[in-house]
Amino acid sequence: VIVTHPDHYDILPYEILEGKTFIYDCMDNYKTFPGCKKEVMIKKEMKLINLCDGIIVSSMDLYNELIKYDENIEKKLHLINNGVDPEKFSLDNLSKENEVDIWRDNERKKVGFIGTISEWVDLNLIKLIALKNKNVDFYMIGPVDRSINLDDYNNIDNIFFTNVQPYYSIPNILDGLDVTIMPFKKSKLVESVNPVKIYEYLAMAKPVIAIRYDETKKFGDLIYTYETIEEFDSILKGLLTECIDDEVINNRIRFAKQNSWKERTSQLEGIIIECKSKAE
């Protein structure tokens, strides 16, 4: 039995755990989400941790956060980073049937972010960068949280919010972008994220600019990281003018294939077997 959120503690029918291996798959630092009742979430998470046979985390920050509860749980903790489906996110498998027409009719370079647009996205950075690069179009592709006010951005003629796009269309959309970005505000929530989107960006051989923190540093020279607006702008200008050679493209795709969900599944299977043997 695998649960993925502390709230599941309240709805878990405990009789189904009898004789089962019980895994807590912790994918985010849930207590840092906006509007979360932190103390309530901590209590639920501690109960899950005490009840389960094994714990999976997707980042070292999550590993370090959970071990703060009790150093003795380290024997339960296992790290499995996120990954990608390299068959779906593949330049060789693009289908014209999956195209979605979101592009403006011009010859400008295209820079894009794909994901939920919430308070962890640095829209002010996008605004300032867009104003510095009027000859570049910036596409923000994904649902916009109700808490986000777009009034300051909708009047900038080279920023486009496309809202939700079909999942099947994302590889084609990525293929149309010149540069992909992860413009997050650094926070405890963000620092716990091993970003799926970067694996997907790299699988499509795209240059990536991402906020610098421990989990993005792990991608090494496969991506470009920044801390300031000036640094972001300098990296972007370089990427929009440089010619990418085949070796760089092949390295990005090779990395994605080495970090497939199939590989992650093998890791998970090994952990389940280990947890079962310890329980027996």
Side-chain angles (χ1 to χ4, degrees):
V1 176
I2 300 176
V3 300
T4 58
H5 196 286
D7 281 346
H8 295 164
Y9 183 85
D10 294 331
I11 60 173
L12 191 65
Y14 295 103
E15 61 273 12
I16 72 169
L17 297 181
E18 188 67 33
K20 302 290 196 308
T21 301
F22 181 37
I23 304 287
Y24 171 38
D25 183 7
C26 179
M27 296 186 287
D28 282 300
N29 192 344
Y30 300 111
K31 61 184 177 290
T32 63
F33 270 82
C36 172
K37 294 179 179 178
K38 184 177 179 180
E39 295 306 316
V40 173
M41 189 65 67
I42 288 173
K43 287 180 181 178
K44 290 179 183 179
E45 191 159 55
M46 289 179 70
K47 288 176 180 177
L48 273 185
I49 286 169
N50 290 327
L51 192 62
C52 70
D53 299 300
I55 306 163
I56 298 166
V57 292
S58 57
S59 72
M60 273 309 299
D61 188 78
L62 286 173
Y63 189 103
N64 293 330
E65 279 294 311
L66 293 189
I67 211 167
K68 289 177 184 176
Y69 292 141
D70 181 356
E71 289 184 359
N72 293 321
I73 69 167
E74 187 167 16
K75 59 184 178 293
K76 290 185 178 183
L77 276 166
H78 304 272
L79 173 66
I80 302 180
N81 287 144
N82 286 316
V84 65
D85 179 355
E87 295 299 315
K88 178 177 179 60
F89 290 86
S90 168
L91 292 171
D92 296 329
N93 296 335
L94 291 174
S95 169
K96 290 295 182 183
E97 295 176 2
N98 293 342
E99 283 189 318
V100 174
D101 185 17
I102 62 171
W103 312 120
R104 293 299 187 268
D105 186 16
N106 59 47
E107 299 300 317
R108 293 174 179 173
K109 294 284 189 177
K110 301 177 182 68
V111 176
F113 165 79
I114 298 179
T116 300
I117 298 158
S118 190
E119 58 185 67
W120 52 77
V121 176
D122 194 345
L123 289 177
N124 187 57
L125 178 143
I126 298 300
K127 175 182 176 180
L128 294 174
I129 293 294
L131 292 173
K132 285 174 174 283
N133 298 272
K134 297 295 289 182
N135 61 331
V136 179
D137 282 344
F138 294 81
Y139 290 86
M140 305 298 287
I141 302 159
V144 180
D145 273 2
R146 293 178 182 178
S147 61
I148 301 300
N149 186 337
L150 297 181
D151 290 349
D152 289 340
Y153 314 101
N154 284 330
N155 61 350
I156 300 173
D157 65 7
N158 61 331
I159 299 179
F160 308 108
F161 293 88
T162 73
N163 218 309
V164 179
Q165 298 300 314
Y167 180 69
Y168 66 75
S169 72
I170 299 304
N172 285 76
I173 290 173
L174 283 172
D175 187 49
L177 293 171
D178 297 290
V179 177
T180 57
I181 58 175
M182 194 184 94
F184 284 178
K185 301 173 185 174
K186 203 179 292 188
S187 66
K188 284 303 295 178
L189 172 60
V190 166
E191 287 173 353
S192 72
V193 173
N194 180 250
V196 173
K197 65 180 83 283
I198 290 183
Y199 293 98
E200 294 174 348
Y201 291 167
L202 291 174
M204 296 297 296
K206 293 299 170 179
V208 181
I209 307 176
I211 186 70
R212 186 179 303 130
Y213 64 100
D214 285 349
E215 291 299 313
T216 55
K217 288 178 185 177
K218 290 179 182 178
F219 292 93
D221 60 6
L222 288 167
I223 71 171
Y224 302 83
T225 61
Y226 72 94
E227 289 187 348
T228 66
I229 291 173
E230 292 75 20
E231 199 173 0
F232 186 107
D233 189 49
S234 175
I235 294 168
L236 179 62
K237 283 181 166 63
L239 289 175
L240 291 174
T241 56
E242 75 175 358
C243 295
I244 306 297
D245 62 36
D246 290 341
E247 183 179 0
V248 172
I249 290 172
N250 291 335
N251 285 342
R252 292 169 183 163
I253 295 172
R254 186 181 305 114
F255 175 85
K257 288 180 177 178
Q258 291 169 347
N259 290 272
S260 68
W261 287 122
K262 184 176 181 180
E263 172 61 28
R264 300 300 191 242
T265 301
S266 296
Q267 291 177 258
L268 175 58
E269 287 174 339
I271 291 167
I272 291 172
I273 291 168
E274 180 184 331
C275 289
K276 285 179 70 175
S277 65
K278 286 181 179 178
E280 293 167 356

Short mmCIF file of all heavy atoms in Angstrom, two decimals, residues 183-229:
data_model
loop_
_atom_site.label_atom_id
_atom_site.label_comp_id
_atom_site.label_asym_id
_atom_site.label_seq_id
_atom_site.Cartn_x
_atom_site.Cartn_y
_atom_site.Cartn_z
N PRO A 183 11.36 29.58 -13.72
CA PRO A 183 11.60 30.83 -12.99
C PRO A 183 10.90 30.84 -11.62
O PRO A 183 9.94 31.57 -11.40
CB PRO A 183 10.97 31.87 -13.93
CG PRO A 183 9.82 31.14 -14.55
CD PRO A 183 10.23 29.69 -14.65
N PHE A 184 11.39 30.03 -10.70
CA PHE A 184 10.76 29.92 -9.39
C PHE A 184 11.38 30.90 -8.40
O PHE A 184 12.54 31.27 -8.52
CB PHE A 184 10.91 28.50 -8.84
CG PHE A 184 10.00 27.49 -9.47
CD1 PHE A 184 10.06 26.16 -9.09
CD2 PHE A 184 9.09 27.83 -10.46
CE1 PHE A 184 9.24 25.20 -9.66
CE2 PHE A 184 8.25 26.90 -11.04
CZ PHE A 184 8.32 25.58 -10.64
N LYS A 185 10.57 31.28 -7.41
CA LYS A 185 11.08 32.03 -6.27
C LYS A 185 11.65 31.00 -5.28
O LYS A 185 10.99 30.02 -4.96
CB LYS A 185 9.96 32.82 -5.59
CG LYS A 185 9.26 33.82 -6.47
CD LYS A 185 8.06 34.41 -5.72
CE LYS A 185 7.24 35.33 -6.61
NZ LYS A 185 6.00 35.79 -5.91
N LYS A 186 12.84 31.27 -4.79
CA LYS A 186 13.45 30.33 -3.86
C LYS A 186 12.71 30.37 -2.53
O LYS A 186 12.47 31.43 -1.97
CB LYS A 186 14.93 30.65 -3.66
CG LYS A 186 15.75 29.46 -3.18
CD LYS A 186 17.22 29.82 -3.01
CE LYS A 186 17.89 30.09 -4.33
NZ LYS A 186 19.36 30.24 -4.16
N SER A 187 12.33 29.19 -2.04
CA SER A 187 11.59 29.08 -0.78
C SER A 187 11.77 27.67 -0.26
O SER A 187 12.31 26.79 -0.95
CB SER A 187 10.10 29.36 -1.00
OG SER A 187 9.53 28.33 -1.81
N LYS A 188 11.31 27.40 0.96
CA LYS A 188 11.39 26.04 1.51
C LYS A 188 10.60 25.05 0.65
O LYS A 188 10.99 23.91 0.51
CB LYS A 188 10.89 26.02 2.95
CG LYS A 188 11.86 26.58 3.96
CD LYS A 188 13.21 25.87 3.94
CE LYS A 188 13.12 24.41 4.38
NZ LYS A 188 14.44 23.71 4.30
N LEU A 189 9.48 25.52 0.11
CA LEU A 189 8.69 24.66 -0.76
C LEU A 189 9.47 24.29 -2.02
O LEU A 189 9.58 23.11 -2.38
CB LEU A 189 7.38 25.36 -1.13
CG LEU A 189 6.50 24.67 -2.18
CD1 LEU A 189 6.09 23.28 -1.72
CD2 LEU A 189 5.27 25.51 -2.48
N VAL A 190 10.02 25.29 -2.68
CA VAL A 190 10.75 25.07 -3.94
C VAL A 190 12.02 24.26 -3.70
O VAL A 190 12.36 23.37 -4.49
CB VAL A 190 11.07 26.42 -4.61
CG1 VAL A 190 12.10 26.25 -5.72
CG2 VAL A 190 9.79 27.04 -5.17
N GLU A 191 12.72 24.53 -2.61
CA GLU A 191 14.00 23.85 -2.36
C GLU A 191 13.83 22.34 -2.14
O GLU A 191 14.80 21.60 -2.20
CB GLU A 191 14.71 24.50 -1.17
CG GLU A 191 15.28 25.86 -1.52
CD GLU A 191 15.84 26.60 -0.32
OE1 GLU A 191 15.67 26.11 0.82
OE2 GLU A 191 16.47 27.66 -0.52
N SER A 192 12.60 21.90 -1.90
CA SER A 192 12.35 20.46 -1.73
C SER A 192 12.00 19.77 -3.04
O SER A 192 11.80 18.56 -3.07
CB SER A 192 11.21 20.25 -0.73
OG SER A 192 9.97 20.61 -1.30
N VAL A 193 11.94 20.52 -4.12
CA VAL A 193 11.45 20.00 -5.40
C VAL A 193 12.60 19.51 -6.28
O VAL A 193 13.52 20.26 -6.61
CB VAL A 193 10.65 21.07 -6.16
CG1 VAL A 193 10.30 20.60 -7.56
CG2 VAL A 193 9.39 21.44 -5.39
N ASN A 194 12.53 18.24 -6.67
CA ASN A 194 13.37 17.71 -7.73
C ASN A 194 12.52 17.81 -9.01
O ASN A 194 11.61 17.01 -9.21
CB ASN A 194 13.77 16.27 -7.43
CG ASN A 194 14.65 15.65 -8.50
OD1 ASN A 194 14.22 14.78 -9.23
ND2 ASN A 194 15.88 16.11 -8.60
N PRO A 195 12.78 18.81 -9.85
CA PRO A 195 11.78 19.22 -10.85
C PRO A 195 11.61 18.29 -12.05
O PRO A 195 12.52 18.12 -12.86
CB PRO A 195 12.28 20.59 -11.30
CG PRO A 195 13.73 20.62 -10.94
CD PRO A 195 13.95 19.68 -9.81
N VAL A 196 10.40 17.72 -12.16
CA VAL A 196 10.06 16.85 -13.30
C VAL A 196 10.25 17.61 -14.61
O VAL A 196 10.72 17.06 -15.60
CB VAL A 196 8.61 16.35 -13.18
CG1 VAL A 196 8.19 15.60 -14.44
CG2 VAL A 196 8.45 15.45 -11.96
N LYS A 197 9.84 18.88 -14.61
CA LYS A 197 9.85 19.64 -15.87
C LYS A 197 11.25 19.72 -16.48
O LYS A 197 11.40 19.72 -17.70
CB LYS A 197 9.23 21.02 -15.70
CG LYS A 197 9.96 21.97 -14.80
CD LYS A 197 9.23 23.31 -14.73
CE LYS A 197 8.10 23.31 -13.72
NZ LYS A 197 6.88 22.65 -14.14
N ILE A 198 12.30 19.74 -15.65
CA ILE A 198 13.65 19.82 -16.21
C ILE A 198 14.00 18.53 -16.93
O ILE A 198 14.62 18.55 -18.01
CB ILE A 198 14.69 20.17 -15.12
CG1 ILE A 198 14.48 21.62 -14.67
CG2 ILE A 198 16.11 19.99 -15.66
CD1 ILE A 198 15.48 22.11 -13.64
N TYR A 199 13.61 17.40 -16.38
CA TYR A 199 13.84 16.12 -17.08
C TYR A 199 13.12 16.12 -18.44
O TYR A 199 13.67 15.64 -19.44
CB TYR A 199 13.32 14.95 -16.25
CG TYR A 199 14.08 14.70 -14.95
CD1 TYR A 199 13.60 15.19 -13.75
CD2 TYR A 199 15.26 13.97 -14.93
CE1 TYR A 199 14.27 14.96 -12.56
CE2 TYR A 199 15.94 13.74 -13.75
CZ TYR A 199 15.44 14.24 -12.56
OH TYR A 199 16.11 14.00 -11.38
N GLU A 200 11.90 16.67 -18.47
CA GLU A 200 11.13 16.71 -19.71
C GLU A 200 11.75 17.69 -20.70
O GLU A 200 11.82 17.40 -21.90
CB GLU A 200 9.68 17.06 -19.40
CG GLU A 200 8.98 15.98 -18.59
CD GLU A 200 7.58 16.35 -18.12
OE1 GLU A 200 7.22 17.54 -18.22
OE2 GLU A 200 6.86 15.46 -17.65
N TYR A 201 12.20 18.84 -20.20
CA TYR A 201 12.87 19.82 -21.07
C TYR A 201 14.11 19.18 -21.72
O TYR A 201 14.34 19.31 -22.93
CB TYR A 201 13.32 21.03 -20.26
CG TYR A 201 12.25 21.95 -19.71
CD1 TYR A 201 12.58 22.91 -18.74
CD2 TYR A 201 10.93 21.89 -20.12
CE1 TYR A 201 11.64 23.78 -18.22
CE2 TYR A 201 9.97 22.75 -19.59
CZ TYR A 201 10.33 23.70 -18.64
OH TYR A 201 9.39 24.56 -18.12
N LEU A 202 14.91 18.48 -20.90
CA LEU A 202 16.15 17.89 -21.42
C LEU A 202 15.87 16.75 -22.38
O LEU A 202 16.61 16.57 -23.36
CB LEU A 202 17.01 17.40 -20.26
CG LEU A 202 17.63 18.49 -19.37
CD1 LEU A 202 18.34 17.88 -18.17
CD2 LEU A 202 18.59 19.37 -20.17
N ALA A 203 14.80 15.98 -22.11
CA ALA A 203 14.46 14.88 -23.03
C ALA A 203 14.18 15.40 -24.43
O ALA A 203 14.43 14.71 -25.42
CB ALA A 203 13.25 14.12 -22.50
N MET A 204 13.66 16.64 -24.49
CA MET A 204 13.39 17.27 -25.78
C MET A 204 14.58 18.10 -26.27
O MET A 204 14.46 18.88 -27.21
CB MET A 204 12.14 18.15 -25.68
CG MET A 204 10.87 17.37 -25.39
SD MET A 204 10.42 16.21 -26.70
CE MET A 204 10.11 17.34 -28.06
N ALA A 205 15.73 17.92 -25.60
CA ALA A 205 17.02 18.53 -26.00
C ALA A 205 17.02 20.05 -25.90
O ALA A 205 17.80 20.71 -26.59
CB ALA A 205 17.40 18.09 -27.41
N LYS A 206 16.18 20.60 -25.04
CA LYS A 206 16.06 22.06 -24.95
C LYS A 206 17.06 22.66 -23.96
O LYS A 206 17.36 22.05 -22.93
CB LYS A 206 14.64 22.45 -24.51
CG LYS A 206 13.59 22.12 -25.55
CD LYS A 206 13.86 22.87 -26.84
CE LYS A 206 12.99 22.42 -27.99
NZ LYS A 206 13.27 23.17 -29.23
N PRO A 207 17.59 23.85 -24.27
CA PRO A 207 18.36 24.57 -23.25
C PRO A 207 17.44 25.00 -22.12
O PRO A 207 16.29 25.38 -22.35
CB PRO A 207 18.91 25.78 -24.01
CG PRO A 207 18.04 25.94 -25.21
CD PRO A 207 17.50 24.58 -25.54
N VAL A 208 17.94 24.90 -20.88
CA VAL A 208 17.13 25.16 -19.69
C VAL A 208 17.78 26.22 -18.83
O VAL A 208 18.98 26.15 -18.55
CB VAL A 208 16.97 23.86 -18.86
CG1 VAL A 208 16.10 24.13 -17.63
CG2 VAL A 208 16.40 22.72 -19.69
N ILE A 209 16.97 27.19 -18.40
CA ILE A 209 17.41 28.17 -17.39
C ILE A 209 16.54 27.95 -16.16
O ILE A 209 15.31 27.99 -16.24
CB ILE A 209 17.25 29.62 -17.87
CG1 ILE A 209 17.93 29.83 -19.23
CG2 ILE A 209 17.83 30.59 -16.84
CD1 ILE A 209 17.70 31.23 -19.80
N ALA A 210 17.18 27.72 -14.99
CA ALA A 210 16.43 27.44 -13.77
C ALA A 210 17.05 28.17 -12.59
O ALA A 210 18.25 28.43 -12.56
CB ALA A 210 16.42 25.94 -13.49
N ILE A 211 16.21 28.49 -11.60
CA ILE A 211 16.69 29.09 -10.37
C ILE A 211 17.71 28.15 -9.73
O ILE A 211 17.55 26.93 -9.76
CB ILE A 211 15.52 29.39 -9.40
CG1 ILE A 211 15.99 30.15 -8.17
CG2 ILE A 211 14.79 28.11 -9.02
CD1 ILE A 211 16.42 31.56 -8.42
N ARG A 212 18.76 28.72 -9.15
CA ARG A 212 19.84 27.91 -8.58
C ARG A 212 19.53 27.51 -7.14
O ARG A 212 19.33 28.36 -6.28
CB ARG A 212 21.16 28.67 -8.64
CG ARG A 212 22.38 27.86 -8.20
CD ARG A 212 23.65 28.69 -8.31
NE ARG A 212 23.83 29.18 -9.66
CZ ARG A 212 24.09 30.45 -9.98
NH1 ARG A 212 24.19 31.38 -9.03
NH2 ARG A 212 24.22 30.82 -11.24
N TYR A 213 19.46 26.20 -6.89
CA TYR A 213 19.39 25.65 -5.54
C TYR A 213 19.90 24.22 -5.63
O TYR A 213 20.29 23.75 -6.71
CB TYR A 213 17.97 25.75 -4.95
CG TYR A 213 16.89 24.95 -5.64
CD1 TYR A 213 16.46 23.73 -5.12
CD2 TYR A 213 16.28 25.42 -6.80
CE1 TYR A 213 15.46 22.99 -5.74
CE2 TYR A 213 15.28 24.68 -7.43
CZ TYR A 213 14.88 23.47 -6.89
OH TYR A 213 13.90 22.75 -7.51
N ASP A 214 19.96 23.51 -4.52
CA ASP A 214 20.66 22.21 -4.49
C ASP A 214 20.16 21.24 -5.54
O ASP A 214 20.95 20.53 -6.18
CB ASP A 214 20.56 21.58 -3.10
CG ASP A 214 21.46 22.26 -2.09
OD1 ASP A 214 22.31 23.07 -2.51
OD2 ASP A 214 21.31 21.99 -0.88
N GLU A 215 18.83 21.17 -5.73
CA GLU A 215 18.28 20.18 -6.66
C GLU A 215 18.54 20.53 -8.13
O GLU A 215 18.65 19.63 -8.96
CB GLU A 215 16.79 19.98 -6.41
CG GLU A 215 16.47 19.28 -5.10
CD GLU A 215 17.05 17.88 -4.99
OE1 GLU A 215 16.92 17.10 -5.95
OE2 GLU A 215 17.64 17.57 -3.94
N THR A 216 18.62 21.81 -8.46
CA THR A 216 18.94 22.17 -9.85
C THR A 216 20.45 22.10 -10.10
O THR A 216 20.87 21.83 -11.23
CB THR A 216 18.41 23.56 -10.23
OG1 THR A 216 18.88 24.54 -9.29
CG2 THR A 216 16.89 23.57 -10.24
N LYS A 217 21.25 22.28 -9.06
CA LYS A 217 22.70 22.13 -9.21
C LYS A 217 23.07 20.71 -9.63
O LYS A 217 24.09 20.48 -10.28
CB LYS A 217 23.41 22.46 -7.90
CG LYS A 217 23.43 23.95 -7.54
CD LYS A 217 24.13 24.14 -6.19
CE LYS A 217 24.07 25.57 -5.71
NZ LYS A 217 24.68 25.72 -4.36
N LYS A 218 22.23 19.74 -9.24
CA LYS A 218 22.53 18.34 -9.55
C LYS A 218 22.54 18.05 -11.05
O LYS A 218 23.12 17.04 -11.48
CB LYS A 218 21.49 17.42 -8.88
CG LYS A 218 21.61 17.37 -7.36
CD LYS A 218 20.53 16.47 -6.78
CE LYS A 218 20.62 16.43 -5.26
NZ LYS A 218 19.54 15.60 -4.68
N PHE A 219 21.91 18.90 -11.84
CA PHE A 219 21.89 18.69 -13.29
C PHE A 219 23.20 19.13 -13.94
O PHE A 219 23.40 18.92 -15.13
CB PHE A 219 20.71 19.43 -13.92
CG PHE A 219 19.37 18.86 -13.55
CD1 PHE A 219 18.66 19.35 -12.47
CD2 PHE A 219 18.81 17.82 -14.28
CE1 PHE A 219 17.42 18.83 -12.12
CE2 PHE A 219 17.58 17.29 -13.95
CZ PHE A 219 16.88 17.78 -12.85
N GLY A 220 24.07 19.76 -13.14
CA GLY A 220 25.41 20.13 -13.63
C GLY A 220 25.36 21.05 -14.83
O GLY A 220 24.53 21.96 -14.92
N ASP A 221 26.26 20.79 -15.79
CA ASP A 221 26.34 21.68 -16.95
C ASP A 221 25.33 21.35 -18.03
O ASP A 221 25.37 21.92 -19.14
CB ASP A 221 27.76 21.67 -17.54
CG ASP A 221 28.20 20.28 -17.99
OD1 ASP A 221 27.37 19.34 -17.95
OD2 ASP A 221 29.37 20.13 -18.38
N LEU A 222 24.37 20.46 -17.71
CA LEU A 222 23.28 20.20 -18.66
C LEU A 222 22.29 21.35 -18.71
O LEU A 222 21.55 21.50 -19.68
CB LEU A 222 22.53 18.92 -18.27
CG LEU A 222 23.28 17.61 -18.50
CD1 LEU A 222 22.56 16.47 -17.79
CD2 LEU A 222 23.41 17.31 -19.99
N ILE A 223 22.24 22.16 -17.64
CA ILE A 223 21.33 23.30 -17.59
C ILE A 223 22.11 24.54 -17.15
O ILE A 223 23.26 24.46 -16.74
CB ILE A 223 20.13 23.05 -16.65
CG1 ILE A 223 20.57 23.05 -15.18
CG2 ILE A 223 19.43 21.74 -17.00
CD1 ILE A 223 19.41 23.03 -14.20
N TYR A 224 21.43 25.69 -17.21
CA TYR A 224 22.01 26.97 -16.78
C TYR A 224 21.20 27.46 -15.58
O TYR A 224 19.97 27.47 -15.62
CB TYR A 224 21.95 28.00 -17.91
CG TYR A 224 22.66 27.56 -19.17
CD1 TYR A 224 22.02 26.72 -20.10
CD2 TYR A 224 23.97 27.95 -19.44
CE1 TYR A 224 22.67 26.29 -21.25
CE2 TYR A 224 24.62 27.53 -20.58
CZ TYR A 224 23.97 26.71 -21.48
OH TYR A 224 24.62 26.28 -22.62
N THR A 225 21.88 27.85 -14.51
CA THR A 225 21.18 28.31 -13.32
C THR A 225 21.53 29.76 -13.02
O THR A 225 22.59 30.26 -13.41
CB THR A 225 21.52 27.43 -12.10
OG1 THR A 225 22.92 27.49 -11.84
CG2 THR A 225 21.09 25.99 -12.34
N TYR A 226 20.62 30.42 -12.32
CA TYR A 226 20.78 31.84 -12.01
C TYR A 226 20.29 32.14 -10.60
O TYR A 226 19.55 31.35 -10.00
CB TYR A 226 19.97 32.68 -13.01
CG TYR A 226 18.48 32.58 -12.76
CD1 TYR A 226 17.81 33.51 -11.97
CD2 TYR A 226 17.72 31.52 -13.28
CE1 TYR A 226 16.44 33.40 -11.71
CE2 TYR A 226 16.37 31.39 -13.03
CZ TYR A 226 15.74 32.33 -12.25
OH TYR A 226 14.40 32.21 -11.97
N GLU A 227 20.71 33.30 -10.10
CA GLU A 227 20.20 33.80 -8.82
C GLU A 227 19.62 35.20 -8.94
O GLU A 227 18.74 35.57 -8.18
CB GLU A 227 21.29 33.77 -7.75
CG GLU A 227 21.67 32.36 -7.31
CD GLU A 227 22.63 32.36 -6.14
OE1 GLU A 227 23.18 33.44 -5.82
OE2 GLU A 227 22.85 31.29 -5.56
N THR A 228 20.09 35.96 -9.92
CA THR A 228 19.64 37.35 -10.08
C THR A 228 19.01 37.55 -11.45
O THR A 228 19.23 36.75 -12.38
CB THR A 228 20.81 38.33 -9.93
OG1 THR A 228 21.73 38.13 -11.03
CG2 THR A 228 21.54 38.11 -8.61
N ILE A 229 18.24 38.62 -11.58
CA ILE A 229 17.64 38.98 -12.87
C ILE A 229 18.72 39.22 -13.90
O ILE A 229 18.61 38.81 -15.07
CB ILE A 229 16.73 40.21 -12.70
CG1 ILE A 229 15.49 39.85 -11.88
CG2 ILE A 229 16.31 40.77 -14.06
CD1 ILE A 229 14.62 41.03 -11.51
#
